[in-house]
């Protein structure tokens, strides 16, 4: 657990969920790097971006399902 200058805790478990698995730095290194540097408005902006990415991923998933459904009569030709 870490604290920034706003006194908010940065949970490594929560941070782990946001860091891509291909990232080379450890969760501890990332937490140490942002410790004391990320302010409330930074967190808000990061949250907005994170939520937008989630929205885009959900939309892509829904579109893929819709495409798959529409292609089902033509599955033989597609394959």
């Amino acid at each position: 657990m870490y604290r920034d200058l706003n006194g908010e805790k940065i949970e490594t478990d929560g941070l782990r969920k946001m860091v891509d698995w291909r990232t080379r730095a450890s969760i501890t290194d990332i937490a140490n790097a942002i410790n004391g540097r990320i302010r409330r408005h930074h967190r808000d902006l990061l949250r907005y971006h994170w939520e937008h990415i989630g929205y885009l991923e959900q939309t892509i998933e829904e579109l893929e399902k819709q495409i798959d459904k529409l292609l089902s009569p033509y599955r033989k030709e597609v394959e």
Side-chain angles (χ1 to χ4, degrees), residues 1 4 6 12-13 17 24 28 32-33 38 48-49 52 62-63 65 67 69-71 74-77 79:
M1 225 181 292
D4 68 9
N6 291 329
T12 54
D13 290 338
K17 293 175 188 174
R24 293 181 184 167
T28 303
N32 286 334
I38 296 199
Y48 299 147
H49 289 301
H52 186 67
E62 290 171 9
L63 286 170
K65 287 178 185 177
I67 290 168
K69 182 180 176 183
L70 291 171
L71 283 177
Y74 310 101
R75 184 65 51 210
K76 193 178 209 181
E77 290 85 352
E79 290 175 4

Side-chain angles (χ1 to χ4, degrees), residues 28-74:
T28 303
D29 289 343
I30 293 170
N32 286 334
I34 63 176
N35 186 25
R37 293 180 177 90
I38 296 199
R39 304 283 195 267
R40 181 80 231 155
H41 67 280
H42 295 128
R43 289 176 182 271
D44 290 340
L45 290 171
L46 289 169
R47 182 172 43 84
Y48 299 147
H49 289 301
W50 185 253
E51 290 171 355
H52 186 67
I53 290 169
Y55 165 77
L56 292 174
E57 288 174 342
Q58 181 181 358
T59 301
I60 290 169
E61 186 178 317
E62 290 171 9
L63 286 170
E64 288 174 342
K65 287 178 185 177
Q66 194 174 25
I67 290 168
D68 191 50
K69 182 180 176 183
L70 291 171
L71 283 177
S72 63
Y74 310 101

